Amino acid sequence: MNLMEKELWKPGNMLYPLPVVMVSVTDGEGHDNIITVAWTGTVCSDPPMLSISVRPERYSYFMLKKTGGFVVNLVTKDLVYATDFCGVKSGRELDKFRETRLTRQSASAVKAPMIGESPVNLECQVSQVIPLGTHDMFLARIVAVHADKRYMDEKGKFHLEQAQPVVYSHGDYLLTGEKLGSFGYSVRKKQG
């Protein structure tokens, strides 16, 4: 293995690539919005929890605080344009569902709508808000998961890779690539 020559930089966020998701929210009074979030991740498996980080000045922030519920909608190649649009336009000025022609679907456990075109929707209930600086982190329990049946095989395994998921890296949206292995492959006994 070759060592690479490194350059020292000031501290910054260099944890890339990241999942990019569309988070749908509501104010509970008929106003829904979609915010694009790359500061997101899994934080616990039991109970299932994730986090999203949002700037307090964002339009969706007050909706998150008010209702305490949101939906994380996974992004695919077919949703990249809408994802970018929802990240650069403000819901204060337009209805992002209408402008992107995305379909609102009712969630089963939270008031916020799901995005029908997303292959996976994670309904989340906020359990804690942590002010961090430029962003506040919303820790949330995943209270329901919806998965598109098109990506299920006959054995009940879900194949998200068939939906062509997207990640975000340094301002670019990237298609995920080829499978290089599966969990535990480095220590499995060789069949032979």
Side-chain angles (χ1 to χ4, degrees), residues 60-167:
S60 294
Y61 182 89
F62 92 90
M63 294 181 179
L64 287 163
K65 291 279 279 201
K66 180 179 179 185
T67 66
F70 61 91
V71 179
V72 170
N73 305 276
L74 298 192
V75 172
T76 63
K77 181 180 178 181
D78 291 342
L79 293 171
V80 170
Y81 182 88
T83 301
D84 187 65
F85 183 89
C86 290
V88 297
K89 292 290 189 177
S90 174
R92 285 184 184 98
E93 293 138 21
L94 51 85
D95 179 340
K96 292 181 188 178
F97 275 98
R98 185 175 53 240
E99 293 293 322
T100 58
R101 296 189 173 127
L102 293 173
T103 307
R104 282 179 179 89
Q105 286 187 327
S106 295
S108 61
V110 299
K111 290 180 182 178
M114 302 185 308
I115 297 173
E117 291 78 5
S118 176
V120 177
N121 316 93
L122 306 169
E123 294 185 50
C124 301
Q125 189 64 50
V126 175
S127 59
Q128 188 177 2
V129 181
I130 304 169
L132 297 173
T134 58
H135 292 69
D136 286 0
M137 181 170 50
F138 291 80
L139 286 176
R141 289 183 74 139
I142 300 168
V143 295
V145 177
H146 304 262
D148 191 326
K149 291 180 181 180
R150 288 181 289 182
Y151 304 111
M152 299 289 287
D153 68 19
E154 62 282 345
K155 294 180 181 176
K157 182 176 179 182
F158 188 70
H159 294 277
L160 181 61
E161 73 280 0
Q162 293 174 3
Q164 297 183 299
V166 171
V167 295

Side-chain angles (χ1 to χ4, degrees), residues 6-22:
K6 306 275 171 84
E7 184 175 308
L8 181 62
W9 290 0
K10 68 178 183 167
N13 290 318
M14 290 295 293
L15 182 61
Y16 287 110
L18 300 164
V20 60
V21 298
M22 289 187 286

Side-chain angles (χ1 to χ4, degrees), residues 24-37:
S24 44
V25 296
T26 189
D27 66 1
E29 298 175 18
H31 301 99
D32 301 331
N33 195 38
I34 303 168
I35 184 172
T36 299
V37 174

